[in-house]
Amino acid sequence: MVGRPKEFDEQEALERAMEVFWTYGYEATSVQDLLDAMGIHRGSMYDTFGDKHALFTAAINHYGRTITQSVEDTLDGRGSPLGNIRKLLGRMAAPAADGQCRGCLATNTVIELAPHDPEVAEAVKALLRRVEKAFHRTLERAVESGELSTDANPRALARFLSCTLQGLVVMGKASAGRSTIKDILNVTLSAVA
């Protein structure tokens, strides 16, 4: 016997759940908040995604497939490797400087859940490693193309840039202000110039 077909788009519902978790965090988001945002009934959520924690894990993975992939695509794009880094940091700094930053879902999750939720901690670590690896690939290309000195340490710079990227969004979420974000961005870019 075949079950009833789903009356909602699973990916769209997951996207909406991700947005709610990203805006409010795990603990402050109720199941009803999720149901309202997703436009589905409780039974549909549990049948499709499982409980709130399972849905959150699916949302983290969806974040990796969308937002983290966008970061990788920018860094791995054609053209100047250092130009790609500048483009990414500028794109991340803009909402941070404008006070429109809700942070990074991965960073928010590290702070809220990772210390006591090993499953979520591992999922978030995987996302952060992806970003660091993307920076590393880009910096290696910068050395190969002569944009970056052969004396540079791409691994160390990748770790620095990955940390700075997370710091930018944390400072933006804390409403640090345009001049603070600009200073962080300028010092960061001078480290890879």
Side-chain angles (χ1 to χ4, degrees):
M1 180 175 191
V2 177
R4 287 180 16 178
K6 287 190 170 86
E7 297 177 7
F8 64 95
D9 182 306
E10 190 173 323
Q11 286 304 303
E12 185 178 317
L14 184 56
E15 176 79 20
R16 289 178 180 175
M18 180 192 76
E19 294 290 336
V20 173
F21 283 129
W22 193 354
T23 301
Y24 301 107
Y26 180 79
E27 293 296 334
T29 298
S30 70
V31 170
Q32 191 60 53
D33 294 334
L34 293 165
L35 297 173
D36 292 345
M38 295 164 73
I40 63 176
H41 299 288
R42 190 174 298 267
S44 294
M45 184 188 99
Y46 286 108
D47 289 345
T48 304
F49 301 104
D51 63 9
K52 177 183 167 184
H53 188 271
L55 176 58
F56 184 74
T57 302
I60 290 287
N61 292 329
H62 180 69
Y63 185 86
R65 287 188 304 273
T66 56
I67 306 302
T68 303
Q69 185 63 53
S70 172
V71 168
E72 289 175 311
D73 291 347
T74 300
L75 291 173
D76 293 335
R78 293 179 180 253
S80 160
L82 294 185
N84 291 348
I85 289 171
R86 282 190 289 277
K87 183 189 313 179
L88 175 66
L89 292 174
R91 188 176 82 204
M92 300 303 281
D98 292 339
Q100 303 292 320
C101 190
R102 58 185 165 166
C104 163
L105 180 58
T107 305
N108 297 347
T109 301
V110 164
I111 294 164
E112 182 182 10
L113 291 180
H116 55 273
D117 190 327
E119 180 184 1
V120 169
E122 192 52 46
V124 172
K125 277 193 247 181
L127 295 180
L128 296 176
R129 279 192 299 266
R130 280 178 59 186
V131 171
E132 182 184 315
K133 286 178 182 179
F135 273 123
H136 187 239
R137 287 190 305 271
T138 304
L139 290 160
E140 285 184 325
R141 283 195 332 274
V143 170
E144 290 167 11
S145 70
E147 279 191 271
L148 198 57
S149 166
T150 55
D151 294 336
N153 182 337
R155 172 80 57 217
L157 283 171
R159 290 175 174 155
F160 168 72
L161 290 171
S162 182
C163 180
T164 300
L165 186 66
Q166 299 307 312
L168 267 174
V169 294
V170 168
M171 293 300 285
K173 189 171 180 177
S175 300
R178 186 176 306 275
S179 65
T180 299
I181 298 300
K182 183 178 177 186
D183 287 346
I184 293 167
L185 192 57
N186 287 339
V187 170
T188 301
L189 293 174
S190 73
V192 293

